[in-house]
Amino acid sequence: MIELRNVAYTYGGAELFSDVSLQMAPGSFQFLTGPSGAGKTTLMKLCYGALTATTGDVQIFGQDARDLDRDAVALARRRVGVVHQDCQFLDHLSLAENVALPLTAAGRANEAAGNLDDLLAWVGLSAQARQLPPSLSGGERQRAALARAVIMSPDVILADEPTGNVDWEMSQRLLTLLVELNRMGKAVFVCTHDLNLIRAAKSQVPARVLRLRDRRLQAAGAEL
Amino acid sequence: MSGAARLPKLLALLAGDAQADRAVPPTGFTARLTVFTAAAMAFLAVFALALSLATGRLAERWGDELARTSTLRISSPAEQMAIQTEAALRVLSTTPGIAEARALTSQEQRDLLSPWFGPELPVELLQVPALIEIVEDADGYDAIGLRARLAAEVPGAVLDDHTRWRRPLIEAAGRLRLMGNVSLLLIAGATAAMITLAAQAALAANAQVIQVLRLVGARDVYIARAFVRRFTLRALTGAAVGTVAGLLGVFLLPSADAAGGFLTGLGFQGWGWLLPLVIPVIAAAIAFVATRQAALRTLNRQS
């Protein structure tokens, strides 16, 4: 579905990483770790067309990312659910409206009515549906971001430090949600520093762990 | 795209999508700026339109009526005045190309002089020339031949066919009309510029909103539409208010009368009162085009 082949990314004249190859197949579950500043978020942005690789090929649903115009990128993003660490909500909209935003933007707002209630119940946020994002806790925001990422039933879920601002218990709940999605056949790709989260996930699904270090992507060691 | 093809899109845009509209937060100063600009420009446009129509009417009147009329002025001693007037009327009645010739009455002369001397003027006691109004037929008359006949038969008669002062007046009216039309174009341009600036400010202030909308798969046209609809409706509302205020201002102007001169005729007549109603529609169309261009350009830059 999404594939990177020998990709390099240079920012401000400095090479962030190079020779990166990666494949997100249906039903796959992958973690990406690495030190801060290694380029994990950048690598994730290449996967949904927010950035363009300096060299190498990025294929998004069979299309070369360089050939995608902005409309095509927008359409591709409807098949990729993205969860950012800072969640990125529209603060003037209620939680329910934020979660339904991908449907609204796709002109399918009428589909939100039934699905939205189920989705909010699934992430445990039914009671907070009418609240504005600034009034939500970190965990609630992360779960809402995950709900928004999956409301279009995307093929791929990309999560950047989804448990960065939540306690252990909440991170386990989020992991459970990701595992459930993966069991539905979604490709899940998670950037994280949280090694405990990775270990917990590996006990539930056959997750692959990658590490971005010294400008290269490599398989993580046996300790993970 | 043709105008006919654009219309359903424009109507769909104005009908709107409440969900999509809410994606962009209402912004304070750009909203007020757009409404105020549209209202002020519409107010000015009403006056520019009134000026354009009034000068158009003036030029037409001067062109049509004065071109077909002449004045014969007879200056002679008081005891000769009636005889010379009779003689002049005889000459005129036998001149080919003249449809009608009649001497102005004392009352008409008093009306002509009253703006300068007041209504109680005793015309009979003054040594004023007699005036004969001449109306041409469609073919017109030979002014040179008539002057020669008058010189022989009515020595105190001077023929004024208005050519000397009619042309500069018509030119002046035409220039005023041109200025009115140029003013309308400048008002439209200034409105477009101000709304473009306001739209750009709103887009810059909502960069984060645009980023989130893009993240969730919104196409540029969807993002632009949310801004375009908002600015179009604001311009429509502001221009409607400005137009009503402008129409009220024109309505309250002193009415045109004989003593007031042509400036008091600055206004609308008959169906002309309906013409300003297109100003809000044009303002909305300008806002639609200006905001759409600004939005798509800004989104292009932000990609």
Side-chain angles (χ1 to χ4, degrees):
Chain A
M1 288 187 286
I2 295 178
E3 188 174 1
L4 281 66
R5 284 194 295 259
N6 304 317
V7 166
Y9 189 81
T10 303
Y11 182 76
E15 185 182 76
L16 200 55
F17 50 75
S18 63
D19 201 25
V20 167
S21 294
L22 174 69
Q23 195 172 18
M24 295 179 197
S28 64
F29 200 125
Q30 300 178 86
F31 283 101
L32 177 63
T33 67
S36 296
K40 299 188 295 295
T41 301
T42 300
L43 183 59
M44 200 178 88
K45 286 184 173 177
L46 291 174
C47 296
Y48 65 91
L51 293 173
T52 305
T54 309
T55 60
D57 293 328
V58 177
Q59 295 282 321
I60 301 177
F61 302 112
Q63 289 180 284
D64 190 324
R66 285 195 182 82
D67 296 337
L68 298 176
D69 60 19
R70 287 202 305 283
D71 272 357
V73 168
L75 295 176
R77 282 181 191 174
R78 295 176 188 177
R79 299 178 65 186
V80 181
V82 181
V83 182
H84 276 286
Q85 187 176 4
D86 61 358
C87 299
Q88 298 194 356
F89 290 123
L90 300 183
D91 288 345
H92 65 286
L93 297 184
S94 70
L95 182 148
E97 287 172 315
N98 267 289
V99 170
L101 198 56
L103 283 174
T104 308
R108 293 161 51 190
N110 54 334
E111 294 176 30
N115 297 340
L116 189 59
D117 292 342
D118 293 344
L119 191 57
L120 290 177
W122 180 64
V123 293
L125 290 173
S126 297
Q128 291 85 352
R130 302 284 160 237
Q131 290 185 26
L132 296 177
S135 68
L136 301 172
S137 70
E140 288 168 339
R141 288 169 65 85
Q142 293 287 7
R143 279 182 284 154
L146 185 58
R148 184 182 67 185
V150 302
I151 196 165
M152 294 282 282
S153 191
D155 299 310
V156 179
I157 293 157
L158 304 174
D160 189 9
E161 300 287 1
T163 58
N165 297 321
V166 298
D167 58 24
W168 172 249
E169 188 184 344
M170 184 56 66
S171 71
Q172 289 307 296
R173 286 183 65 178
L174 285 166
L175 175 64
T176 303
L177 295 173
L178 289 169
V179 168
E180 280 184 42
L181 289 165
N182 180 244
R183 285 179 178 149
M184 292 175 197
K186 315 290 184 193
V188 177
F189 187 84
V190 181
C191 299
T192 184
H193 282 107
D194 189 346
L195 301 184
N196 288 328
L197 181 76
I198 296 172
R199 290 192 187 102
K202 288 186 76 171
S203 68
Q204 298 176 54
V205 289
R208 184 179 176 219
V209 185
L210 303 165
R211 177 173 287 161
L212 192 56
R213 194 161 67 181
D214 300 330
R215 305 200 299 274
R216 293 288 188 278
L217 186 67
Q218 36 193 261
E223 77 278 8
L224 292 174
Chain B
M1 189 186 292
S2 71
R6 272 185 198 278
L7 187 62
K9 281 198 163 191
L10 189 62
L11 292 177
L13 176 95
L14 292 175
D17 175 351
Q19 294 277 357
D21 284 357
R22 282 185 48 73
V24 178
T27 46
F29 91 93
T30 56
R32 287 193 293 274
L33 178 65
T34 308
V35 172
F36 174 76
T37 300
M41 292 300 177
F43 185 81
L44 294 175
V46 170
F47 282 94
L49 188 61
L51 174 71
S52 179
L53 291 178
T55 50
R57 284 195 303 270
L58 203 62
E60 196 176 324
R61 200 172 73 226
W62 286 344
D64 284 356
E65 294 178 7
L66 296 181
R68 292 177 51 242
T69 62
S70 310
T71 305
L72 190 67
R73 191 178 73 241
I74 301 167
S75 303
S76 69
E79 64 275 13
Q80 291 285 314
M81 190 67 83
I83 298 166
Q84 294 228 10
T85 303
E86 279 299 313
L89 286 170
R90 261 196 317 277
V91 170
L92 294 172
S93 66
T94 57
T95 303
I98 291 179
E100 185 188 338
R102 67 173 190 89
L104 264 59
T105 64
S106 297
Q107 182 58 45
E108 285 172 323
Q109 285 191 313
R110 187 178 290 115
D111 289 345
L112 284 173
L113 294 172
S114 63
W116 286 272
F117 296 105
E120 304 303 325
L121 181 70
V123 175
E124 298 79 9
L125 303 179
L126 295 175
Q127 181 66 24
V128 291
L131 297 175
I132 295 176
E133 184 187 56
I134 302 167
V135 180
E136 302 173 17
D137 63 16
D139 298 330
Y141 63 86
D142 172 16
I144 296 170
L146 179 59
R147 280 197 179 94
R149 282 186 68 195
L150 287 169
E153 298 181 34
V154 192
V158 176
L159 177 66
D160 179 3
D161 63 0
H162 303 161
T163 306
R164 193 160 35 86
W165 58 275
R166 191 180 69 223
R167 187 172 297 126
L169 277 178
I170 292 172
E171 277 179 14
R175 291 284 167 84
L176 276 172
R177 187 180 200 179
L178 179 68
M179 283 170 66
N181 290 338
V182 169
S183 299
L184 285 170
L185 287 176
L186 289 175
I187 287 167
T191 305
M194 290 295 285
I195 290 175
T196 299
L197 284 174
Q200 283 175 340
L203 286 155
N206 286 296
Q208 176 69 18
V209 171
I210 292 169
Q211 187 182 333
V212 173
L213 288 171
R214 280 189 161 148
L215 180 72
V216 300
R219 296 166 65 205
D220 282 2
V221 69
Y222 172 89
I223 301 169
R225 198 182 299 138
F227 287 93
V228 168
R229 180 170 185 272
R230 193 160 287 183
F231 277 84
T232 302
L233 289 177
R234 284 172 188 164
L236 184 65
T237 307
V241 171
T243 300
V244 169
L247 280 170
L248 202 60
V250 171
F251 182 74
L252 293 176
L253 280 175
S255 61
D257 55 31
F262 81 88
L263 278 177
T264 53
L266 184 69
F268 301 103
Q269 288 180 0
W271 62 267
W273 282 101
L274 297 176
L275 212 52
L277 299 182
V278 302
I279 291 174
V281 179
I282 292 173
I286 289 171
F288 173 80
V289 173
T291 313
R292 193 168 194 277
Q293 296 296 322
L296 292 177
R297 213 169 33 240
T298 304
L299 291 170
N300 205 21
R301 270 202 307 270
Q302 287 181 359
S303 65

